[in-house]
Amino acid sequence: MSNTHFRFKQFTIHQDLCSMKVGTDGVLLGAWTNIDNAKCILDIGTGTGLIALMLAQRSDATITAVDAEVNACEQAKINFNGSPWAGRLQIVHSKIQDFHSDHPFDLIVSNPPYFSGYYSSDDLSRDIARSADVLLSYEDLIASAKKLLAVNGRLSLILPADLQERIIELANQHELILSRLTFVKTKKNKAAKRVLLEFVNTSTEVKIILDELIIQSDDNSRVYTQEYISLTKDFYLAF
């Protein structure tokens, strides 16, 4: 794999212009998200466009991808135009707080920034892309999703596990109801590092689906579990 691009089975992600590179979090969200009855999808903070492209591969939906960073938008545009689904993908340069749509979305996805209050590296643009305090707060993310979701529409997120309660509380304040929660562990005996969350825009009671996903075998960190392979095999070349 070159650092400038990452090849998947049906598309290639060029990432030379974008501060955030292809990572496990994005692949997990793109593969895990429920696309049932989703005809119109919004990807908030699309970056390279990875998640939008994965959802385009999995569905017949029209997909709008929004990013506040101009280089990310240019990168996503290149990746969209080079894919088999260019006619169903649109990129918009905008902060989600300023984004307006003539129609609601059946599904909204986001792999949001998850650093808050500090910078972590010498790459300022990368830190900005990952800082919840600079371009997109979690409150703004949830409030924007509520405004843009159709009735019974879904919001799908991946976040560090220690943010789970905070995000669920914010969602409840905006009447978005938790419907799925998957704890993601690198190995079975490790604590969850990430959570995959799905919320529904509904006022009715929802039965919550709780489960966990283990990525690697306990015996060998280079061996992936069958559940992880099954989830991602339509995308990774190695599977």
Side-chain angles (χ1 to χ4, degrees), residues 138-184:
Y138 297 123
E139 169 66 31
D140 285 346
L141 172 63
I142 298 297
S144 297
K146 173 65 178 183
K147 179 180 68 175
L148 294 163
L149 272 174
V151 175
N152 296 320
R154 297 183 299 276
L155 170 63
S156 186
L157 306 170
I158 185 166
L159 288 163
D162 60 4
L163 290 176
Q164 169 197 334
E165 292 184 5
R166 177 182 174 189
I167 297 302
I168 292 174
E169 180 181 356
L170 281 173
N172 286 341
Q173 291 172 10
H174 290 274
E175 298 181 324
L176 296 174
I177 309 302
L178 181 68
S179 54
R180 292 172 70 200
L181 172 58
T182 297
F183 295 95
V184 181

Side-chain angles (χ1 to χ4, degrees), residues 32 164 168 178-184 195-199 206-213 227:
W32 177 88
Q164 169 197 334
I168 292 174
L178 181 68
S179 54
R180 292 172 70 200
L181 172 58
T182 297
F183 295 95
V184 181
V195 285
L196 289 153
L197 300 148
E198 179 191 85
F199 300 95
V206 173
K207 183 178 180 181
I208 302 174
I209 299 172
L210 296 174
D211 58 15
E212 67 178 22
L213 172 66
E227 59 185 329

Side-chain angles (χ1 to χ4, degrees), residues 98-228:
D98 301 326
F99 175 74
H100 300 283
S101 174
D102 294 333
H103 57 80
F105 293 91
D106 306 309
L107 171 64
I108 296 177
V109 295
S110 185
N111 176 13
Y114 52 82
F115 289 132
S116 181
Y118 66 91
Y119 296 120
S120 65
S121 75
D122 294 328
D123 186 343
L124 181 59
S125 63
R126 186 171 188 268
D127 287 332
I128 288 174
R130 300 181 75 171
S131 173
D133 292 335
V134 176
L135 294 179
L136 179 63
S137 71
Y138 297 123
E139 169 66 31
D140 285 346
L141 172 63
I142 298 297
S144 297
K146 173 65 178 183
K147 179 180 68 175
L148 294 163
L149 272 174
V151 175
N152 296 320
R154 297 183 299 276
L155 170 63
S156 186
L157 306 170
I158 185 166
L159 288 163
D162 60 4
L163 290 176
Q164 169 197 334
E165 292 184 5
R166 177 182 174 189
I167 297 302
I168 292 174
E169 180 181 356
L170 281 173
N172 286 341
Q173 291 172 10
H174 290 274
E175 298 181 324
L176 296 174
I177 309 302
L178 181 68
S179 54
R180 292 172 70 200
L181 172 58
T182 297
F183 295 95
V184 181
K185 300 180 177 181
T186 53
K187 293 187 177 184
K188 186 175 183 179
N189 61 346
K190 301 289 187 181
K193 291 283 187 72
R194 295 285 185 269
V195 285
L196 289 153
L197 300 148
E198 179 191 85
F199 300 95
V200 180
N201 185 25
T202 182
S203 58
T204 61
E205 187 175 345
V206 173
K207 183 178 180 181
I208 302 174
I209 299 172
L210 296 174
D211 58 15
E212 67 178 22
L213 172 66
I214 301 166
I215 296 177
Q216 298 171 347
S217 165
D218 284 335
D219 300 325
N220 190 333
S221 62
R222 296 184 179 181
V223 176
Y224 293 101
T225 62
Q226 190 56 52
E227 59 185 329
Y228 182 71

Side-chain angles (χ1 to χ4, degrees), residues 6-62:
F6 195 110
R7 290 183 58 207
F8 291 91
K9 286 183 177 177
Q10 295 191 39
F11 60 90
T12 296
I13 293 292
H14 297 278
Q15 51 187 5
D16 54 302
L17 302 178
C18 193
S19 54
M20 294 305 298
K21 311 303 183 184
V22 169
T24 302
D25 285 6
V27 174
L28 281 171
L29 184 62
W32 177 88
T33 292
N34 179 5
I35 58 168
D36 290 351
N37 302 313
K39 302 300 182 185
C40 194
I41 298 173
L42 176 66
D43 178 14
I44 299 176
T46 194
T48 61
L50 168 63
I51 296 168
L53 283 162
M54 292 180 71
L55 298 180
Q57 178 180 322
R58 294 179 57 208
S59 73
D60 295 322
T62 57

